[in-house]
């Protein structure tokens, strides 16, 4: 019988894994055309408001396929109280057997998203970062910093949140980290003071003013994963030297690139794909003057990679306990 | 924690349920516009060949949403050895909590499909059936007869199968039933000898010759659920008096109606939807002279209805065992 694992069991084995490496390999396979990833499935709910995304697919020369279900619901149309949930299902190709169900309560989605941010930073961040800007003081705003720790040297951080309570909680949570964190309620402070910025909010209106973004800045925009959500002024993409999509086909329909294309300030031909950036140094940042954007909408190959890694670690653990 | 149920547990409670009623109510809700059912998600595999379908959606004034995963794989490109598998996931709206996972190994898909056949028969079958024709001696070919038992009076059946071995197995399996079953290896015998026919094969080429179909016959075509599969000569739909789709929007893309539209022998305006047929006697068969077709591609609302019914029965069983 198939195996079901809860969040505690998943977190236990995650410690020993290298998700950044797994996710990076996934993006390369994706951009090399070695995956089959159908368009994202989507259910929209009005009352109570929310959405469910189904991301699924497989790598051609691989034994598995993945189906990932992630939901986000607001308690009521007016509340900011948000619940995310979901699970990852790993199946065996050729039989359709359910290999494992990872009841991760959305944690693995957060992990693979934060890992993608680290991958983008590895190839696109300026060498010298004055200050890291984090827009959004939620779970992903925290996890981005955790995953960036092994990639960048800078330890000075400015975080923007919706209110002081959220920021105080953020500071408290991040206290054990090595980062020196200041907080702000003005996104202008981030645009002005940081040359490496991550946006991680569910905003539907641009948060960063284009004119204040400094030349040479890198921005990873990861909050926007639907056709409606939008964190960046499209002019930021217009002025950028390098615009990277995690998936070009997906970014035509969702996220920041989608909005910039619709606004007519970006051309499809001007976009490069993260998996290609990883393997081709010419597509990476080559000077401190370049302004770079990574638009991450979340691709099923990330879910596949993290599900496989966790599954294999769980099997190994079970084996070692059995002997 | 969510509950996982295996096939044995599911079959145990199924005995007490009335799936035909549940499925009928689902079709009515669907045709009344009370559901939100996105297009079917699909993964196609080449090596080994197979496909996975993801059907999902919800009824607006209901507490749940469903995601159903069904896979079918051939062992090799040449083999006829086919494995189907899958599971149904029922979630709570507003939180995204997984209410239950029904590891049904495709059985509930078979049940809701057979129940849909019974619903179609209730409103479209001629009053006097000489002989029931079953095209396809697989699981669905058996289950159709089981579910028709409470709907039609005729007990004479002719079954077509690919080979005598398959037909012998069919006869053996159906021995305890009240049906008098003959077998044939020629689909012409079915077309010629039966005025109520169910096709339940994964064929990609038409099986029934249009010219032999008798006036007044009803055909339920349920094998074709992809854009490629096709069991009926489009001329059969051309000559029919009533053509019913389980879902018009889905049948534009998959199944027999899709092929007939593509061949230009059927008009979209000429199709009626099963949920509307159920509530409107004017859309049902009104004479023994009418030739009627029901094209069933399988709609997520069926999966939702069967998942809810099974889940509630499992909860009731657990409660009664606890007291």
């Amino acid at each position: 019988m198939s195996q079901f694992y809860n969040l505690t069991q998943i977190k236990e084995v995650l410690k020993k894994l290298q998700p950044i490496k797994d996710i990076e390999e996934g993006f390369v396979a994706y951009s090399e055309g070695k995956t089959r990833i159908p368009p994202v499935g989507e259910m929209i709910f009005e009352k109570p408001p929310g959405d469910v995304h189904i991301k699924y697919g497989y790598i051609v020369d691989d034994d598995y396929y993945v189906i990932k279900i992630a939901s986000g619901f607001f308690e009521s149309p007016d509340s900011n109280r948000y619940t995310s949930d979901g699970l990852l299902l790993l199946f065996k190709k050729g039989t359709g057997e359910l290999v494992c169900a990872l009841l991760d309560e959305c944690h693995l989605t957060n992990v693979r998203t934060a890992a993608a941010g680290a991958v983008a930073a590895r190839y696109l961040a300026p060498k010298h970062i004055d200050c890291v800007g984090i827009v959004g003081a939620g779970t992903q705003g925290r996890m981005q910093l955790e995953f960036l720790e092994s990639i960048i040297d800078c330890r000075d951080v400015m975080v923007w949140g919706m209110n002081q309570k959220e920021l105080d909680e953020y500071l408290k949570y991040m206290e054990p980290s090595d980062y020196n964190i200041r907080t702000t309620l003005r996104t202008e402070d981030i645009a002005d003071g940081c040359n490496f910025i991550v946006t991680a909010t569910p905003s539907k209106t641009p948060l960063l003013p284009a004119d204040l973004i400094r030349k040479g800045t890198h921005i990873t925009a990861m909050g926007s994963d639907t056709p409606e959500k939008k964190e960046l002024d499209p002019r930021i993409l217009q002025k950028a030297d390098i615009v990277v999509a995690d998936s070009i086909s997906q970014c035509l329909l969702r996220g920041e690139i989608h909005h910039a294309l619709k606004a007519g300030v970006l051309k499809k031909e001007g976009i490069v794909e993260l998996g290609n950036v990883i393997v081709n140094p010419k597509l990476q940042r080559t000077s401190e003057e370049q302004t770079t954007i990574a638009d991450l909408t979340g691709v099923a190959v990330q879910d596949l990679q993290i599900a496989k890694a966790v599954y294999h670690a769980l099997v190994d653990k079970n084996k070692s306990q059995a002997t």
Side-chain angles (χ1 to χ4, degrees), chain A:
Chain A
M1 178 142 171
S2 341
Q3 293 296 316
F4 299 85
Y5 298 96
N6 64 26
L7 184 55
T8 311
Q9 294 169 299
I10 292 165
K11 281 191 170 170
E12 180 82 25
V13 298
L14 259 180
K15 293 175 208 160
K16 295 166 209 157
L17 299 181
Q18 295 182 287
I20 299 174
K21 184 174 163 283
D22 292 322
I23 296 306
E24 185 164 314
E25 287 170 2
F27 281 125
V28 171
Y30 181 77
S31 292
E32 284 179 343
K34 291 179 179 164
T35 66
R36 297 290 176 270
I37 312 275
V40 177
E42 189 169 56
M43 265 183 280
I44 306 289
F45 298 85
E46 280 159 35
K47 214 167 55 172
D51 54 53
V52 173
H53 285 125
I54 308 174
K55 294 188 175 177
Y56 54 107
Y58 62 92
I59 296 176
V60 175
D61 291 326
D62 195 2
D63 297 330
Y64 306 99
Y65 58 95
V66 78
I67 298 177
K68 196 273 293 280
I69 295 147
S71 59
F73 282 98
F74 288 98
E75 199 180 53
S76 72
D78 306 317
S79 82
N80 279 315
R81 287 185 59 178
Y82 185 80
T83 314
S84 58
D85 206 337
L87 72 162
L88 278 123
L89 303 167
L90 195 66
F91 297 88
K92 207 160 162 37
K93 264 193 222 167
T95 63
E97 179 200 343
L98 177 64
V99 172
C100 73
L102 303 171
L103 304 165
D104 69 323
E105 300 171 26
C106 233
H107 184 63
L108 292 176
T109 295
N110 291 330
V111 167
R112 63 82 152 149
T113 304
V119 172
R122 178 176 279 161
Y123 299 101
L124 296 166
K127 267 187 200 133
H128 178 76
I129 299 175
D130 304 331
C131 182
V132 174
I134 302 284
V135 179
T139 306
Q140 194 55 228
R142 298 198 291 254
M143 289 181 68
Q144 285 293 324
L145 279 189
E146 292 168 23
F147 277 76
L148 284 169
E149 210 161 354
S150 66
I151 306 289
I152 61 173
D153 295 327
C154 176
R155 292 293 176 261
D156 292 316
V157 176
M158 193 186 293
V159 179
W160 171 88
M162 282 187 302
N163 53 58
Q164 197 54 49
K165 183 168 168 279
E166 191 183 70
L167 288 168
D168 290 343
E169 282 168 12
Y170 188 98
L171 285 177
K172 198 174 161 196
Y173 183 91
M174 293 301 288
E175 216 181 289
S177 84
D178 285 341
Y179 290 106
N180 315 308
I181 302 175
R182 285 171 298 155
T183 64
T184 179
L185 292 167
R186 291 163 27 94
T187 54
E188 292 85 349
D189 294 339
I190 305 272
D192 199 32
C194 305
N195 65 339
F196 179 93
I197 301 173
V198 180
T199 61
T201 74
S203 181
K204 289 184 181 172
T205 49
L207 296 168
L208 290 172
D211 299 335
L212 290 181
I213 299 293
R214 290 156 51 184
K215 198 169 167 58
T217 296
H218 171 76
I219 305 176
T220 295
M222 62 178 35
S224 174
D225 58 352
T226 69
E228 296 75 32
K229 292 183 199 163
K230 182 186 194 176
E231 298 178 282
L232 304 183
D233 184 332
R235 285 185 301 141
I236 297 179
L237 284 85
Q238 182 176 26
K239 287 158 77 179
D241 298 287
I242 305 176
V243 176
V244 177
D246 53 2
S247 153
I248 290 180
S249 67
Q250 209 166 285
C251 286
L252 299 180
L253 305 172
R254 321 174 163 263
E256 309 302 334
I257 287 172
H258 150 74
H259 287 289
L261 290 167
K262 224 169 89 179
V265 300
L266 184 71
K267 282 191 176 147
K268 196 184 151 185
E269 300 70 40
I271 311 161
V272 290
E273 206 165 65
L274 186 52
N276 292 324
V277 171
I278 294 165
V279 296
N280 185 351
K282 286 183 192 161
L283 300 175
Q284 299 164 12
R285 172 184 289 270
T286 52
S287 94
E288 292 291 281
E289 301 297 306
Q290 289 170 305
T291 303
T292 57
I293 313 287
D295 185 13
L296 306 182
T297 56
V299 187
V301 74
Q302 296 169 256
D303 300 308
L304 177 66
Q305 290 290 92
I306 199 78
K308 282 191 300 181
V310 168
Y311 168 65
H312 289 136
L314 286 162
V315 169
D316 287 348
K317 190 167 169 262
N318 286 350
K319 267 189 205 155
S320 70
Q321 281 176 342
T323 53

